[in-house]
Amino acid sequence: MSVQNKISQQFPTAQIEEKSDRLIVSINAELLREMAVMLYNDKELRFDFMRSLTGMDWGEAGFGVVYHLESTEDIKRQLELKVVIPDRENPFIDTVSDLWKTALLNEREVYDYFGVIFIGHPDMRRLYLRSEWKGFPLRKDYVRAEGLDMTNEEPDDSTVTWYRDKNGVPRSRRYNLFESGEYVVNIGPQHPATHGVLRFRVSLEGEFLKKLDVHCGYIHRGVEKLCESMTYQQTISLTDRLDYLSSLQNRHALCMCVEKAMGLELSDRIQYIRTIMDELQRINSHLLFFATFCMDLGALTSFFYGFRDREKILDILEETTGGRLTMHYNVIGGVEEDIHPNFVKRVKELLAYLPYALEEYRKVFTENIIAKNRLIGVGHLSREDAISFGATGPTGRGSNWACDVRKRIPYGVYDKVDFKEIVRSECDSYARYLIRMDEIKESMRIIETLIDNIPEGNYREKTKAVIRVPEGSYYTAVEASRGEFGVYLESRGDKSPYRLKFRSTGLPLIAGIDTISRGEKIADLIAIGASLDYVVPDIDR
Amino acid sequence: MEVGKTKKKELVKIKSIPYKDFKNNDYLEEMVRELHENGVNVVVGALDEAINWGRGNSLWPLTFATSCCGIEFMSVGAARYDMARFGLEVARASPRQADFIMVAGTITDKMAPVLKRLYDQMADPKYVIAVGGCTISGGPFKHSYHVVKGIDQILPVDVFIPGCPPRPEAMLYGMMQLQRKVKLQRFFGDVNKKEVSEKEYEERMKRDMTANS
Ligand code: SF4
């Protein structure tokens, strides 16, 4: 039985719309729980991977939550579940965080943005903003209270959870995350080894980690809300600043989303250039990973090696794009400028040089016995957990989950090149490290195949000065340096998006960090965090 | 300043760049002139000079990076740009050991009190460099509900480095400007004075300790 028939049989009131790439199902909030359980458990459906979870403010119609689901068994099974919560005064909805663990943090995000309360969620605190914050910023009628709160945050370990009493009325209950007498240590937000401003509170049993509570929001810049008041051409500039080590790929995702929505055809030249640029960016990011990863483990020399070689790529990128970090290269309808005349030559020089560098890394670090002892078997993440948390990218592939968007849903010219998806089954920090090192080689192979065959053609297609995207909702994803970066766009046909959500690559990673690091030593938390390689502004957005 | 017309007195020397190649020389000259007018003796003593030579050439930054600009700051510390050449190499993880703070990256509402606290924990004399558009005005996120529109609202800033992100060269230049400022200041009885009384200081620290249990 097809997915569509199955759903309409069980839920006659659900509205189903079939799109070329996915099924869109709209239901009311009461049905969610039942539907979610079926989608997750049914053997023929088995939607076990939640790609993205988005909160919505649909004005008169109420609030909403949009779930993007996929089945890891069959990539063709794609579903967009739209749930409406009509009551604006008391927006309640059931949690699905017990089925898909990625919802644990994502539902908190929706609460933080819209004030929607998830019944049954174990921990309904705000995710990004301070607990004293007034109002819910992504509501359409939100007005910010004046002033800047300069008081220090009070440590508060209590949290709230909601349940339904006998009559079905929602009730709340407070409880403490840490028991009294537990030894709790604070790490961050200003800490040299947390890779930016992330904050952990960990409870310790001797040297071992019992529980970890992660705090985000120290670099929450409100990008999604900003986008709602910008034209499409303006929104793309912000994507560079989310995960700045995937700036080209992020921008690729948003441009692709808008182009697809408008039905814009791109020349082959554009696709080739974008693909090569994405791969250069990936190498760049993985080199930086190598540098910082080793530094976190105390190998400072490697830091200099990584940065030394990264500069070579930056030179190439700078020549064409003019930027080193925020490159602003992709635009809607193509790329900003054609590639520099030196580009091909210099990329080839780079490809000839990199193998020596990689060999050096191998000698210095990969084969280093100290590094091995600290990494092998440390930070175990099982395949089921990786899928449940939605931990994509090298982290997911280190846990034996083939989750590469380039293979799953090819874009650019990835379907035309031959490359291997590196997958390992050790599930530990060392596997995650090795995968990135091998991915550099695969990226080099991709570039090698493409660099001599860049076809002639436009580097930029003509678009109107004012871009209006036809009404509807669109989801597009690319494989950024750290996993699936998705863009969910809902348009009402205006000059600016009605809602633009970025599927963060890092949020699922830190959602899983409690599971990964429990029972490990506190010193290994740094190694684990470094091996996940999250970028905090991308988590907080 | 017009080059070659009348040779003005060079106030400070930085080895790598001639005085006239610096921008904002007028700012330094203005500062000195004002101090003169107010009757402050700016001709630094020999001991001051010796101390300032040491201070100016070994400014240690606090590792502080919240976002994109921080990556460029890391590049400045790495092999190619190598800020060690200017005595700036020892990035400290503890505010107690740092001379200045490079605020590299966006400062959000939630981070603002943390940044202020870090600044308060640094020992005098201390300096602040604001790196990038975000720290100057909020940059691309100026209209956001959760971004501080310029860190000069919460800290006294010594040098602004514009850019998004500023190039590493720009950061080096900014840090040299700070060196010039440091070299001009009198250490005794001036910048080294305590801002708060000992008692108040102790109280502040106590508050900090309890807030971060
Ligand atoms: S100024 Fe630009 S590069 Fe620097 S932190 Fe802000 S957005 Fe990032």
Side-chain angles (χ1 to χ4, degrees):
Chain A
M1 207 184 327
S2 76
V3 178
Q4 196 169 349
N5 291 346
K6 199 147 195 163
I7 294 173
S8 55
Q9 204 176 51
Q10 286 264 345
F11 301 92
T13 53
Q15 289 171 24
I16 304 179
E17 191 187 336
E18 207 175 343
K19 284 267 163 84
S20 60
D21 57 343
R22 70 202 191 286
L23 215 57
I24 303 182
V25 180
S26 312
I27 53 168
N28 231 324
E30 309 93 65
L31 289 180
L32 169 70
R33 189 66 210 174
E34 218 182 311
M35 168 95 79
V37 171
M38 179 183 93
L39 291 175
Y40 186 81
N41 286 332
D42 192 292
K43 289 219 166 47
E44 279 171 50
L45 302 177
R46 197 81 194 111
F47 284 100
D48 51 355
F49 169 35
M50 181 180 283
R51 298 178 75 182
S52 150
L53 190 159
T54 313
M56 298 294 297
D57 180 354
W58 280 315
E60 300 273 282
F63 294 109
V65 183
V66 182
Y67 306 84
H68 286 86
L69 303 173
E70 181 183 306
S71 169
T72 52
E73 286 163 11
D74 178 7
I75 184 67
K76 296 260 154 43
R77 256 181 262 156
Q78 299 275 358
L79 191 105
E80 182 175 321
L81 181 62
K82 291 186 173 179
V83 185
V84 191
I85 312 163
D87 187 354
R88 273 189 84 90
E89 293 308 310
N90 300 302
F92 285 105
I93 187 171
D94 288 310
T95 182
V96 293
S97 58
D98 50 334
L99 304 171
W100 295 278
K101 290 186 195 156
T102 186
L104 279 170
L105 289 192
N106 274 307
E107 287 181 350
R108 278 176 65 188
E109 175 188 302
V110 175
Y111 169 64
D112 202 355
Y113 283 173
F114 298 97
V116 173
I117 290 170
F118 290 81
I119 293 175
H121 189 288
D123 179 11
M124 251 309 81
R125 281 176 299 169
R126 282 186 181 268
L127 183 61
Y128 301 126
L129 303 173
R130 291 175 63 155
S131 50
E132 306 91 62
W133 193 269
K134 297 236 165 26
F136 299 99
L138 262 83
R139 289 189 179 182
K140 291 283 175 190
D141 54 5
Y142 171 74
V143 186
R144 188 191 186 284
E146 287 291 315
L148 177 65
D149 183 2
M150 284 302 285
T151 54
N152 286 331
E153 251 178 305
E154 292 297 325
D156 183 12
D157 289 334
S158 72
T159 181
V160 64
T161 173
W162 290 75
Y163 62 97
R164 280 185 211 280
D165 66 6
K166 283 196 288 300
N167 308 324
V169 182
R171 303 236 175 253
S172 68
R173 180 171 65 82
R174 287 201 84 82
Y175 73 101
N176 271 341
L177 282 171
F178 299 106
E179 288 151 33
S180 68
E182 256 184 287
Y183 190 73
V184 182
V185 176
N186 182 74
I187 306 176
Q190 161 62 18
H191 188 280
T194 51
H195 282 225
V197 282
L198 195 59
R199 176 172 165 215
F200 302 121
R201 284 175 67 72
V202 292
S203 115
L204 296 179
E205 180 87 63
E207 242 191 298
F208 295 94
L209 242 141
K210 247 169 69 183
K211 185 171 182 180
L212 184 147
D213 179 33
V214 50
H215 286 248
C216 320
Y218 292 93
I219 185 73
H220 172 62
R221 305 190 273 204
V223 168
E224 288 170 13
K225 178 80 174 184
L226 275 177
C227 287
E228 288 172 14
S229 57
M230 289 178 157
T231 65
Y232 285 98
Q233 286 99 329
Q234 287 170 330
T235 57
I236 53 174
S237 71
L238 295 184
T239 50
D240 281 30
R241 292 164 173 82
L242 293 171
D243 173 0
Y244 31 78
L245 296 170
S246 310
S247 51
L248 288 164
Q249 296 138 340
N250 290 355
R251 219 170 146 110
H252 192 168
L254 181 53
C255 291
M256 205 159 69
C257 187
V258 177
E259 285 153 7
K260 264 198 202 158
M262 298 198 308
L264 204 65
E265 287 289 324
L266 300 185
S267 75
D268 275 352
R269 186 175 182 83
I270 298 171
Q271 302 287 18
Y272 270 70
I273 296 177
R274 282 186 176 177
T275 309
I276 294 173
M277 286 296 183
D278 282 6
E279 290 311 309
L280 282 175
Q281 175 90 73
R282 195 181 317 281
I283 300 177
N284 166 4
S285 167
H286 286 351
L287 289 179
L288 190 121
F289 159 79
F290 172 78
T292 53
F293 181 69
C294 301
M295 185 172 68
D296 285 347
L297 291 169
L300 196 61
T301 314
S302 311
F303 169 77
F304 293 107
Y305 284 10
F307 265 79
R308 176 195 66 192
D309 299 330
R310 181 172 168 263
E311 290 287 343
K312 295 195 188 334
I313 300 177
L314 293 188
D315 280 350
I316 298 176
L317 291 175
E318 193 182 353
E319 215 168 38
T320 294
T321 70
R324 284 165 52 88
L325 199 65
T326 48
M327 280 167 264
H328 295 216
Y329 189 52
N330 290 319
V331 290
I332 296 165
V335 294
E336 187 75 52
E337 282 291 334
D338 207 353
I339 48 174
H340 192 271
N342 284 344
F343 183 76
V344 175
K345 192 179 109 230
R346 296 194 65 172
V347 167
K348 282 186 186 161
E349 282 166 13
L350 175 80
L351 291 179
Y353 166 78
L354 274 179
Y356 296 103
L358 290 177
E359 177 58 19
E360 201 169 26
Y361 298 171
R362 193 184 64 75
K363 275 194 211 144
V364 173
F365 194 82
T366 315
E367 298 291 320
N368 188 313
I369 188 69
I370 302 173
K372 278 185 170 176
N373 282 344
R374 282 205 63 186
L375 296 173
I376 294 178
V378 172
H380 190 269
L381 176 70
S382 69
R383 182 171 193 269
E384 291 69 48
D385 277 341
I387 295 173
S388 184
F389 281 115
T392 50
T395 307
R397 294 194 281 281
S399 294
N400 206 5
W401 173 28
C403 54
D404 198 326
V405 186
R406 294 175 294 175
K407 291 277 187 199
R408 269 163 54 212
I409 310 156
Y411 56 95
V413 284
Y414 287 115
D415 46 352
K416 294 192 190 127
V417 283
D418 167 43
F419 70 101
K420 259 210 330 267
E421 177 173 1
I422 315 277
V423 179
R424 302 183 77 93
S425 55
E426 293 93 339
C427 308
D428 59 0
S429 304
Y430 197 54
R432 296 192 274 273
Y433 164 77
L434 288 179
I435 285 198
R436 290 195 173 84
M437 290 298 111
D438 288 341
E439 272 185 9
I440 296 181
K441 290 183 198 141
E442 287 308 312
S443 295
M444 283 161 59
R445 256 180 72 193
I446 296 174
I447 300 173
E448 232 159 49
T449 334
L450 297 179
I451 193 74
D452 277 326
N453 310 317
I454 304 175
E456 292 298 317
N458 290 341
Y459 65 85
R460 188 171 180 172
E461 305 291 351
K462 284 216 165 54
T463 50
K464 288 211 190 81
V466 178
I467 289 176
R468 285 175 205 275
V469 171
E471 225 176 300
S473 60
Y474 311 90
Y475 182 84
T476 313
V478 300
E479 182 71 15
S481 308
R482 327 182 140 58
E484 171 170 341
F485 178 82
V487 176
Y488 177 68
L489 165 67
E490 182 164 323
S491 168
R492 299 244 160 136
D494 293 330
K495 276 185 288 189
S496 30
Y498 185 75
R499 171 92 167 94
L500 193 58
K501 143 104 184 179
F502 299 111
R503 184 220 189 255
S504 153
T505 52
L507 194 64
L509 301 179
I510 59 150
I513 202 163
D514 179 34
T515 309
I516 300 174
S517 53
R518 267 191 202 198
E520 302 286 359
K521 290 205 179 100
I522 175 94
D524 290 332
L525 177 63
I526 302 303
I528 292 168
S531 78
L532 295 176
D533 190 28
Y534 44 75
V535 164
V536 187
D538 162 63
I539 298 168
D540 287 355
R541 281 161 290 147
Chain B
M1 189 181 99
E2 293 243 313
V3 186
K5 242 181 168 178
T6 44
K7 194 161 184 302
K8 283 200 187 166
K9 188 175 173 286
E10 296 186 359
L11 286 169
V12 274
K13 254 214 179 96
I14 293 282
K15 230 193 209 152
S16 351
I17 306 185
Y19 184 78
K20 63 176 170 40
D21 286 353
F22 273 102
K23 287 196 178 119
N24 302 70
N25 279 334
D26 44 343
Y27 156 78
L28 282 184
E29 284 150 17
E30 182 70 19
M31 190 173 91
V32 171
R33 196 183 55 77
E34 261 174 33
L35 287 171
H36 268 308
E37 265 172 17
N38 296 336
V40 179
N41 180 16
V42 277
V43 183
V44 287
L47 193 52
D48 258 344
E49 216 163 275
I51 289 177
N52 279 349
W53 171 81
R55 281 197 318 134
N57 291 323
S58 69
L59 282 169
W60 291 358
L62 173 72
T63 349
F64 182 85
T66 65
S67 49
C68 352
C69 280
I71 299 290
E72 284 297 71
F73 183 50
M74 279 160 85
S75 302
V76 178
R80 179 189 271 184
Y81 295 100
D82 188 17
M83 60 184 180
R85 290 177 291 164
F86 309 100
L88 299 153
E89 76 272 40
V90 201
R92 301 272 85 179
S94 156
R96 308 271 186 226
Q97 302 160 344
D99 297 309
F100 73 101
I101 179 167
M102 278 291 258
V103 185
T106 325
I107 298 302
T108 60
D109 284 32
K110 197 172 176 179
M111 196 65 195
V114 182
L115 173 64
K116 181 77 172 69
R117 218 161 95 194
L118 281 168
Y119 177 77
D120 286 343
Q121 287 173 343
M122 284 165 65
D124 277 319
K126 53 191 170 186
Y127 304 90
V128 178
I129 298 187
V131 183
C134 283
T135 53
I136 296 173
S137 66
F141 310 103
K142 198 171 170 30
H143 300 295
S144 165
Y145 54 87
H146 199 240
V147 170
V148 177
K149 285 144 202 75
I151 60 158
D152 50 350
Q153 291 181 12
I154 49 176
L155 302 180
V157 179
D158 294 282
V159 179
F160 292 97
I161 308 179
C164 187
R167 291 188 55 89
E169 290 89 339
M171 291 198 190
L172 287 175
Y173 178 73
M175 289 192 273
M176 283 188 210
Q177 288 280 26
L178 179 65
Q179 285 183 326
R180 299 198 323 151
K181 192 167 176 182
V182 170
K183 287 185 178 183
L184 263 183
Q185 278 172 328
R186 290 199 320 153
F187 186 69
F188 288 112
D190 190 357
V191 292
N192 196 29
K193 69 170 187 297
K194 288 201 182 65
E195 269 179 13
V196 290
S197 71
E198 221 159 274
K199 203 158 153 232
E200 198 191 331
Y201 180 78
E202 256 168 34
E203 241 155 52
R204 271 197 208 176
M205 285 301 118
K206 237 183 249 159
R207 240 182 319 172
D208 272 2
M209 300 290 275
T210 45
N212 191 20
S213 65

